[in-house]
Amino acid sequence: MLVSAKEMLNKARDGKYAVGQFNINNLEWTKAILLTAQENNSPVILGVSEGAGKYMGGYDAIVGMVNGLIKGLNITVPVALHLDHGSFEGAYKCIEAGFSSVMFDGSHYAIEENIEKSTKLIADANAKGISVECEVGSIGGEEDGVVGAGEIADPAECKQIADLGTTMLAAGIGNIHGKYPANWAGLDFNALAKIKEAVGDMPLVLHGGTGIPEDMIKKAISLGVAKINVNTECQLAFAEATRKYIEAGKDLEGKGFDPRKLLAPGFEAIKATVKEKMELFGSVNQA
Ligand code: 13P
């Protein structure tokens, strides 16, 4: 059964580890992430961007697929199905379809409008036991068509949004979606500490988890980050493993063209990436 992200993130905050949000693109992705979470006895959040939602045939199809896999694969660890960087309207569509968690990315609105929309959404979602992630400041780079300038979040604005009853807060601290450029200045830990001071107990979310060095991940967790989003790294791992299979001509040997064989190396590569992240984030055996 899908669960809200609230309990797992509060537990992670108290236990000083983070729960990974891994974005899904199709059945292989979803199955690989769910099985890895189960094998490692880890809670997990499946992230769905609006673009991925369209790609997979809509939110109802995703809810059906995820619930079906949880049942069919005997997944018993806590799983949240979460809209990633959602619009206001998109968040309502996901709630309607049966998601257990939504992100409303109101960071491109003026703070007053972000507050107004977040307030309404939080009230409606909380009434159904659905967790809500809000965003202040913006995550740099591009995530499935959502482009951010990468501003550092203002702690006072973070407090205003946290005080609305938000479940978890994404605050820009120099993190970027996609690969980090060679001249990246790193995460702004001073900003993170100030945000944490302003928002108190609120579990913080670190977007752009791909390519953040291990020491920075650990420091971010020690400063209050309880959810870390990873997307690009699974895509890179899948693509590399698939390329190797094809370049080695394995699709031309026997029935190597069978999709179950052709997609297997990429599937295993996603599993390995997710396991590595769960170990780094400290969520193994925390289900
Ligand atoms: P990456 O693609 O950089 O891992 O970021 C994922 C993310 O933050 C999803 O919201």
Side-chain angles (χ1 to χ4, degrees):
M1 199 188 73
L2 289 170
V3 297
S4 137
K6 185 175 182 149
E7 202 184 311
M8 65 170 90
L9 293 183
N10 286 349
K11 226 180 120 196
R13 173 204 61 208
D14 295 346
K16 293 262 180 241
Y17 62 91
V19 178
Q21 172 193 305
F22 301 96
N23 286 49
I24 59 172
N25 288 290
N26 59 18
L27 185 126
E28 273 71 24
W29 245 259
T30 313
K31 201 170 136 186
I33 296 163
L34 288 175
L35 285 174
T36 309
Q38 185 69 24
E39 285 160 15
N40 291 281
N41 194 29
S42 168
V44 73
I45 299 171
L46 302 176
V48 178
S49 65
E50 294 199 349
K54 272 199 200 110
Y55 175 77
M56 287 185 271
Y59 301 128
D60 292 322
I62 295 167
V63 170
M65 173 179 72
V66 171
N67 279 325
L69 287 174
I70 288 175
K71 187 174 170 204
L73 299 172
N74 293 318
I75 304 296
T76 55
V77 294
V79 179
L81 178 58
H82 178 75
L83 173 66
D84 188 29
H85 290 285
S87 61
F88 188 64
E89 298 73 23
Y92 277 92
K93 283 187 190 154
C94 286
I95 291 173
E96 182 71 22
F99 276 51
S100 62
S101 187
V102 290
M103 173 181 188
F104 166 53
D105 182 353
S107 60
H108 50 284
Y109 293 115
I111 187 69
E112 295 75 20
E113 192 168 356
N114 193 354
I115 289 175
E116 190 189 315
K117 288 189 156 66
S118 298
T119 304
K120 175 161 170 38
L121 179 66
I122 289 166
D124 293 335
N126 283 358
K128 298 187 171 186
I130 292 168
S131 42
V132 179
E133 175 178 339
C134 294
E135 178 168 329
V136 180
S138 69
I139 318 299
E142 188 236 322
E143 169 77 21
D144 222 353
V146 180
V147 179
E151 311 118 357
I152 304 286
D154 170 17
E157 291 187 359
C158 289
K159 180 167 168 42
Q160 281 178 287
I161 294 279
D163 285 349
L164 304 176
T166 310
T167 318
M168 62 278 206
L169 181 71
I173 52 164
N175 39 339
I176 299 172
H177 287 129
K179 288 184 185 173
Y180 284 87
N183 63 352
W184 178 50
L187 296 176
D188 185 337
F189 291 112
N190 279 336
L192 179 56
K194 283 188 194 139
I195 292 163
K196 175 70 186 156
E197 204 183 320
V199 302
D201 255 2
M202 169 78 31
L204 296 172
V205 183
L206 182 61
H207 281 249
T210 295
I212 298 181
E214 284 191 24
D215 57 331
M216 287 195 203
I217 292 279
K218 288 191 172 147
K219 189 160 181 191
I221 293 172
S222 77
L223 289 169
V225 165
K227 172 176 180 276
I228 303 177
N229 293 5
V230 177
N231 183 8
T232 307
E233 208 157 320
C234 289
Q235 299 185 5
L236 291 169
F238 180 88
E240 192 190 341
T242 308
R243 179 159 39 77
K244 270 194 194 143
Y245 181 89
I246 292 183
E247 279 179 357
K250 293 200 177 147
D251 56 319
L252 303 173
E253 290 168 13
K255 279 207 157 195
F257 57 84
D258 177 339
R260 291 177 224 163
K261 291 191 175 138
L262 181 65
L263 298 177
F267 172 82
E268 292 299 335
I270 295 172
K271 286 192 72 192
T273 305
V274 171
K275 180 174 164 55
E276 192 184 294
K277 295 296 169 193
M278 286 176 166
E279 284 166 355
L280 173 62
F281 300 166
S283 70
V284 171
N285 284 329
Q286 299 289 357

